[in-house]
Amino acid sequence: MEPNPLMTPYKMGRFQLSHRVVHAPLTRQRSFDNIPQPHAILYHSQRASEGGLLIAEATGISNTAHGYPNTPGVWTKEQVEAWKPIVDAVHEKGGIFFCQIWHAGRVSNCEFQPNVQAPISSTDKPLAPQMRSNGVDVALFSPPHRLTTKEIPQIVDDFRVAARNAIEAGFDGVEIHGAHGYLIDQFLKDHVNDRTDKYGGTLQNRCRFALEVVEAVVNEIGADRVGLRLSPYANYSESGDSNPEALGLHMANSLNKFGLCYCHMVEPRMIKVGEKVETPHSLLPMRKAFKGTFMVAGGYDREEGNKVISSGYADLVAYGRWFLANPDLPRRLELNAPLNRCMFGQEPVGYMTIDELQALERHLELWMYNIRSAKMQIMFEEIQLLKNKEGILKVSNEILRGKIVEQTEISAAYLLSMQNGMFNF
Ligand SMILES: Cc1cc2nc3c(=O)[nH]c(=O)nc-3n(C[C@H](O)[C@H](O)[C@H](O)COP(=O)(O)O)c2cc1C
């Protein structure tokens, strides 16, 4: 049999992993009122494997942390309790489960904030409106409140408390979300951070907030339960940097003193999800600098995953979209079995072809079957899937806890963009 390095065991600190295929954090937006829902039990336990590492989706650290509807949180007792059965289900399957703790910063709107206040950030520079992943809606962002130097320790402490809560919920550890243009990244990147205090200006100063968060979380739950995700090369929400390699290296070197469980970096080619660009850059300098478990993500398939493990470029490979579409991904990669194509994505923006619609219909049937078989709380009284010649879907539905969503005519791309929540429990 051909060698399959992805399937080799790996000891990540206190955790014995049976393979190197990690479930990347994937926002699902099905946590109504920021409370994880029972249907997440099915989603996560389907993707758990004996000795496999799963990272849960971005989970808000406080009531100011959110920037999208229905993302989960981990700052209230109710949220902690709601996570417990989900975590238990992963453990029952022998999985290891980390919670990604997150603050969106300025990638938010005052409607998501308590008292309709301004979202917080490293800066008061507003963010231009953005096309949502559905290719239809436009997200508007409120001008942020620039955190004062004095206000920053409270946010660091929110990360600490969220980490403690995640452990209380049963998670094996936390991944601090320092990537993709959210709050920590807003401090790290010089296209965003325009501060003149000790948190801005030099590279060391821009990294200060991230490292304070790491230190607080490590002190709270122990370094062997803490990972950090970074995307120095990414440019989500205007979060570019003039020297991503220097930034990544500085962080990798600075993290060494903490003895973190892992460092998780997103490949330079993933400027944004779905935009895999040619680039001369790689994570090799950071991999060499960081003296611990190094996880990579961004555009990996089986062949490339095997290649980076065998060459020593990475210890672990996180898969996002492939895991979304293939709950049994580790097993499929082991057998070299065919993979379901992931239907999430920016493309096609607009309408799909008939072939794709047929695939979508099959997905929908499966989803309804899942709902019934899992006795979902969500009421899904009626779904009518109609298609016209242009391939526009008309979906009449009553979803989201019985709340009536009016008959809508929406592009198939929109449905696809919701599939992470809708079609994969
Ligand atoms: C639907 C979806 C939701 C995502 N949510 C998160 C998230 O909550 N946190 C995060 O750090 N990255 C998130 N990502 C990025 C993925 O973790 C991953 O880095 C990205 O999909 C690239 O990996 P892939 O090429 O294997 O899909 C998300 C990606 C997708 C497609």
mmCIF file of all heavy atoms in Angstrom, residues 394-399 403-410:
data_model
loop_
_atom_site.group_PDB
_atom_site.id
_atom_site.type_symbol
_atom_site.label_atom_id
_atom_site.label_comp_id
_atom_site.label_asym_id
_atom_site.label_seq_id
_atom_site.Cartn_x
_atom_site.Cartn_y
_atom_site.Cartn_z
ATOM 1 N N LYS A 394 -36.632 28.771 -5.759
ATOM 2 C CA LYS A 394 -37.632 29.417 -4.908
ATOM 3 C C LYS A 394 -37.826 28.494 -3.713
ATOM 4 O O LYS A 394 -38.221 27.350 -3.856
ATOM 5 C CB LYS A 394 -38.944 29.582 -5.657
ATOM 6 C CG LYS A 394 -38.890 30.712 -6.656
ATOM 7 C CD LYS A 394 -40.255 30.957 -7.253
ATOM 8 C CE LYS A 394 -40.172 32.154 -8.184
ATOM 9 N NZ LYS A 394 -41.375 32.284 -8.990
ATOM 10 N N VAL A 395 -37.550 28.990 -2.608
ATOM 11 C CA VAL A 395 -37.668 28.160 -1.428
ATOM 12 C C VAL A 395 -38.691 28.777 -0.494
ATOM 13 O O VAL A 395 -38.585 29.922 -0.103
ATOM 14 C CB VAL A 395 -36.310 28.040 -0.701
ATOM 15 C CG1 VAL A 395 -36.464 27.204 0.550
ATOM 16 C CG2 VAL A 395 -35.283 27.438 -1.612
ATOM 17 N N SER A 396 -39.696 27.996 -0.209
ATOM 18 C CA SER A 396 -40.674 28.483 0.745
ATOM 19 C C SER A 396 -40.408 27.713 2.032
ATOM 20 O O SER A 396 -40.458 26.497 2.055
ATOM 21 C CB SER A 396 -42.064 28.184 0.216
ATOM 22 O OG SER A 396 -42.978 28.241 1.267
ATOM 23 N N ASN A 397 -40.135 28.366 3.066
ATOM 24 C CA ASN A 397 -39.766 27.595 4.240
ATOM 25 C C ASN A 397 -40.193 28.260 5.546
ATOM 26 O O ASN A 397 -40.471 29.444 5.603
ATOM 27 C CB ASN A 397 -38.266 27.321 4.252
ATOM 28 C CG ASN A 397 -37.464 28.583 4.133
ATOM 29 O OD1 ASN A 397 -38.000 29.645 4.324
ATOM 30 N ND2 ASN A 397 -36.189 28.471 3.832
ATOM 31 N N GLU A 398 -40.277 27.447 6.502
ATOM 32 C CA GLU A 398 -40.507 27.949 7.850
ATOM 33 C C GLU A 398 -39.411 27.333 8.694
ATOM 34 O O GLU A 398 -39.427 26.153 8.992
ATOM 35 C CB GLU A 398 -41.858 27.489 8.371
ATOM 36 C CG GLU A 398 -43.012 28.082 7.599
ATOM 37 C CD GLU A 398 -44.330 27.612 8.169
ATOM 38 O OE1 GLU A 398 -44.338 27.097 9.293
ATOM 39 O OE2 GLU A 398 -45.323 27.757 7.464
ATOM 40 N N ILE A 399 -38.464 28.130 8.965
ATOM 41 C CA ILE A 399 -37.318 27.594 9.694
ATOM 42 C C ILE A 399 -36.979 28.497 10.858
ATOM 43 O O ILE A 399 -37.724 29.403 11.183
ATOM 44 C CB ILE A 399 -36.068 27.416 8.793
ATOM 45 C CG1 ILE A 399 -35.796 28.691 8.004
ATOM 46 C CG2 ILE A 399 -36.213 26.241 7.872
ATOM 47 C CD1 ILE A 399 -34.489 28.646 7.249
ATOM 48 N N LYS A 403 -39.821 30.529 13.218
ATOM 49 C CA LYS A 403 -39.970 31.883 12.695
ATOM 50 C C LYS A 403 -40.228 31.810 11.193
ATOM 51 O O LYS A 403 -39.536 31.103 10.481
ATOM 52 C CB LYS A 403 -38.677 32.656 12.964
ATOM 53 C CG LYS A 403 -38.774 34.127 12.745
ATOM 54 C CD LYS A 403 -37.489 34.785 13.222
ATOM 55 C CE LYS A 403 -36.907 35.682 12.149
ATOM 56 N NZ LYS A 403 -35.535 36.025 12.395
ATOM 57 N N ILE A 404 -41.215 32.530 10.740
ATOM 58 C CA ILE A 404 -41.556 32.437 9.320
ATOM 59 C C ILE A 404 -40.585 33.271 8.502
ATOM 60 O O ILE A 404 -40.408 34.450 8.745
ATOM 61 C CB ILE A 404 -42.980 32.974 9.053
ATOM 62 C CG1 ILE A 404 -43.992 32.332 9.988
ATOM 63 C CG2 ILE A 404 -43.339 32.812 7.573
ATOM 64 C CD1 ILE A 404 -44.428 30.953 9.626
ATOM 65 N N VAL A 405 -39.949 32.608 7.597
ATOM 66 C CA VAL A 405 -39.140 33.347 6.640
ATOM 67 C C VAL A 405 -39.983 33.390 5.371
ATOM 68 O O VAL A 405 -40.404 32.374 4.871
ATOM 69 C CB VAL A 405 -37.812 32.623 6.375
ATOM 70 C CG1 VAL A 405 -37.002 33.368 5.324
ATOM 71 C CG2 VAL A 405 -37.030 32.487 7.661
ATOM 72 N N GLU A 406 -40.249 34.581 4.917
ATOM 73 C CA GLU A 406 -41.174 34.719 3.795
ATOM 74 C C GLU A 406 -40.646 34.016 2.560
ATOM 75 O O GLU A 406 -39.453 33.819 2.398
ATOM 76 C CB GLU A 406 -41.375 36.197 3.477
ATOM 77 C CG GLU A 406 -42.289 36.853 4.476
ATOM 78 C CD GLU A 406 -42.420 38.335 4.220
ATOM 79 O OE1 GLU A 406 -42.012 38.780 3.143
ATOM 80 O OE2 GLU A 406 -42.915 39.014 5.110
ATOM 81 N N GLN A 407 -41.582 33.709 1.710
ATOM 82 C CA GLN A 407 -41.189 33.079 0.449
ATOM 83 C C GLN A 407 -40.142 33.974 -0.205
ATOM 84 O O GLN A 407 -40.337 35.154 -0.401
ATOM 85 C CB GLN A 407 -42.405 32.979 -0.471
ATOM 86 C CG GLN A 407 -42.046 32.538 -1.860
ATOM 87 C CD GLN A 407 -42.788 31.264 -2.241
ATOM 88 O OE1 GLN A 407 -43.481 30.674 -1.430
ATOM 89 N NE2 GLN A 407 -42.621 30.849 -3.456
ATOM 90 N N THR A 408 -39.035 33.380 -0.478
ATOM 91 C CA THR A 408 -37.946 34.194 -1.004
ATOM 92 C C THR A 408 -37.470 33.638 -2.320
ATOM 93 O O THR A 408 -37.469 32.442 -2.536
ATOM 94 C CB THR A 408 -36.746 34.223 -0.038
ATOM 95 O OG1 THR A 408 -36.506 32.901 0.376
ATOM 96 C CG2 THR A 408 -36.981 35.131 1.122
ATOM 97 N N GLU A 409 -37.054 34.516 -3.136
ATOM 98 C CA GLU A 409 -36.432 34.089 -4.376
ATOM 99 C C GLU A 409 -34.971 34.419 -4.224
ATOM 100 O O GLU A 409 -34.575 35.570 -4.118
ATOM 101 C CB GLU A 409 -37.026 34.851 -5.555
ATOM 102 C CG GLU A 409 -36.569 34.284 -6.874
ATOM 103 C CD GLU A 409 -37.284 34.969 -8.015
ATOM 104 O OE1 GLU A 409 -36.772 35.977 -8.473
ATOM 105 O OE2 GLU A 409 -38.356 34.482 -8.409
ATOM 106 N N ILE A 410 -34.202 33.384 -4.140
ATOM 107 C CA ILE A 410 -32.803 33.640 -3.818
ATOM 108 C C ILE A 410 -31.907 32.896 -4.789
ATOM 109 O O ILE A 410 -32.305 31.903 -5.369
ATOM 110 C CB ILE A 410 -32.467 33.193 -2.382
ATOM 111 C CG1 ILE A 410 -32.922 31.759 -2.167
ATOM 112 C CG2 ILE A 410 -33.054 34.128 -1.375
ATOM 113 C CD1 ILE A 410 -32.636 31.266 -0.779
#
